[in-house]
Amino acid sequence: MNWKSARGRVLGLLTVGAVLAAAGCGGSSSGGGTAEPGSSAEGGGSGKTITIGFAQVGSESGWRTANTESIKAALTKENGFNLKFADAQQKPENQIQAIRSFIAQKVDVIAFSPVVTTGWDSVLEEAKTADIPVILTDRAVDVKDDTLYKTFIGSDFVEEGKRVGEWVDKNLGSKPINVVELEGTTGSAPALDRKKGFDGVVAGNPNIKIVASQTGNFTRSEGKQVMEGLLQSQKQIDVLFAHNDDMALGAIEAIEAAGKKPGEDIKIVSIDGVKDGMTALSQGKINYIVECNPLLGPDLAELAKKAVNGEAIDKRIVTHDDAFDQAGATAALPDRKY
Ligand code: AHR
């Protein structure tokens, strides 16, 4: 590993902190708030401020909003961080620009959730040359050299798609069914992996036919628009697999507008488990949801501290995800945090 020694890093921190303070460059958008209850990020610890640049995907979904809130709540001044937050508006080129700006500002750590998997080698080389550790949150990158990032924390998206596929196979696959798939952002890790997991399972059941698969870019509006088109172009749709709740919710609007009952005439399975999705599941409009946990802020805070201190970190940290049917969603909703 080519990262600075812990001692060198601490000295660097003091210098960066002094320069930023002198230049009046305090946290640009820590968003206020406190760490989430039970967060291990509570309390600054060493008392030395860590400047961290975070390049977020955008604000495409309820999941993303919860993820951003979790990160901003954990990376506060009180917890020992100076957060520089950039919203890439779902454009990889904006993320690259944000990362370059973090490098120019000599932040201590860079974290980001890559919009798509490819195209990161050059900018991550630049971060490595500048000796700035990079933490991937939520989404993976496809790079030639995996020492370009320190660690990757997030869900196992292939497993999520597989669990949805298994539910469809078990509960609906005993007779011939036509499935339509609303994919996430083209080229993104969750879209690629969820499709791989789901398609892999249902391919083993000759009753299950995927008749159409189109991107809805993880947004409610595009989910609605694409579903409107599919309702017109497909003679028979029995099941919708949406790669996230927001697209499922948009599709529900389209299905209702077409005079059909979501959850009955067309069964719906989805991924995320945000409050709006869980509410639709509890109402019987969605039939099954596999959770994707967005509350990554406290773990990111811990990982950033370890990276700065030169401590050993696992290369891959997989977060825990539950799954819900109607009864499970109804029971979980009162305590749902996002
Ligand atoms: O990367 C996680 C995915 O991104 C979530 O499932 C989706 O809602 C978000 O946009």
Side-chain angles (χ1 to χ4, degrees):
M1 286 280 175
N2 192 21
W3 312 110
K4 274 180 187 163
S5 69
R7 194 154 152 263
R9 173 66 67 191
V10 169
L11 289 173
L13 270 175
L14 290 171
T15 314
V16 169
V19 170
L20 287 174
C25 296
S28 57
S29 60
S30 68
T34 54
E36 290 149 18
S39 156
S40 52
E42 284 175 49
S46 66
K48 293 174 188 74
T49 299
I50 294 171
T51 298
I52 178 165
F54 188 89
Q56 181 59 289
V57 170
S59 51
E60 73 281 5
S61 63
W63 189 99
R64 191 62 56 194
T65 304
N67 179 247
T68 293
E69 282 172 7
S70 172
I71 285 161
K72 287 184 173 177
L75 301 179
T76 59
K77 208 172 155 191
E78 297 72 34
N79 289 337
F81 292 94
N82 169 21
L83 171 64
K84 296 178 177 294
F85 185 90
D87 177 338
Q89 299 178 336
Q90 284 192 283
K91 294 196 175 93
E93 60 272 26
N94 289 349
Q95 271 188 325
I96 290 174
Q97 209 179 357
I99 293 168
R100 289 212 164 106
S101 145
F102 296 149
I103 295 169
Q105 291 173 71
K106 297 183 172 27
V107 300
D108 301 303
V109 187
I110 290 171
F112 77 116
S113 173
V115 178
V116 291
T117 54
T118 54
W120 303 103
D121 295 80
S122 300
V123 74
L124 294 184
E125 285 284 359
E126 290 165 36
K128 189 172 179 180
T129 303
D131 224 356
I132 300 173
V134 172
I135 298 173
L136 303 176
T137 67
D138 163 40
R139 296 184 180 182
V141 291
D142 185 2
V143 285
K144 286 194 199 94
D145 171 7
D146 78 355
T147 68
L148 292 178
Y149 64 89
K150 194 90 176 140
T151 182
F152 163 36
I153 179 167
S155 296
D156 181 340
F157 296 139
V158 176
E159 183 63 22
E160 289 173 348
K162 201 173 149 221
R163 289 169 81 182
V164 175
E166 284 165 354
W167 188 90
V168 170
D169 181 35
K170 189 169 163 222
N171 293 278
L172 309 169
S174 58
K175 56 179 191 324
I177 48 169
N178 286 349
V179 178
V180 296
E181 196 168 337
L182 276 178
E183 296 175 28
T185 304
T186 305
S188 69
L192 295 166
D193 291 352
R194 288 171 184 169
K195 184 167 181 56
K196 186 177 170 191
F198 179 86
D199 291 11
V201 169
V202 302
N205 183 339
N207 277 336
I208 306 175
K209 195 169 164 201
I210 300 174
V211 292
S213 191
Q214 259 178 261
T215 183
N217 206 18
F218 281 132
T219 68
R220 208 175 281 212
S221 60
E222 284 172 82
K224 181 179 178 194
Q225 201 188 319
V226 174
M227 193 65 197
E228 282 166 355
L230 291 172
L231 285 162
Q232 299 224 325
S233 63
Q234 297 300 321
K235 273 205 200 100
Q236 177 67 32
I237 300 174
D238 303 298
V239 178
L240 161 67
F241 167 37
H243 285 194
N244 79 343
D245 288 351
D246 277 80
M247 292 189 294
L249 293 161
I252 286 171
E253 290 177 34
I255 292 166
E256 287 176 335
K260 291 181 189 288
K261 277 195 161 185
E264 290 183 30
D265 298 330
I266 298 178
K267 305 282 187 202
I268 302 178
V269 288
S270 159
I271 295 174
D272 270 359
V274 294
K275 251 186 204 155
D276 286 356
M278 295 285 273
T279 303
L281 175 54
S282 164
Q283 293 166 344
K285 293 183 178 189
I286 294 179
N287 303 87
Y288 187 66
I289 293 179
V290 171
E291 181 183 53
C292 181
N293 186 355
L295 306 180
L296 303 179
D299 284 337
L300 172 58
E302 281 308 307
L303 291 169
K305 284 179 190 171
K306 284 185 176 170
V308 164
N309 291 328
E311 291 174 40
I313 302 176
D314 289 342
K315 195 74 189 176
R316 175 74 169 106
I317 300 162
V318 181
T319 50
H320 173 79
D321 295 323
D322 281 321
F324 302 91
D325 59 11
Q326 188 174 15
T330 307
L333 262 172
D335 299 322
R336 202 75 184 150
K337 289 197 176 63
Y338 53 90

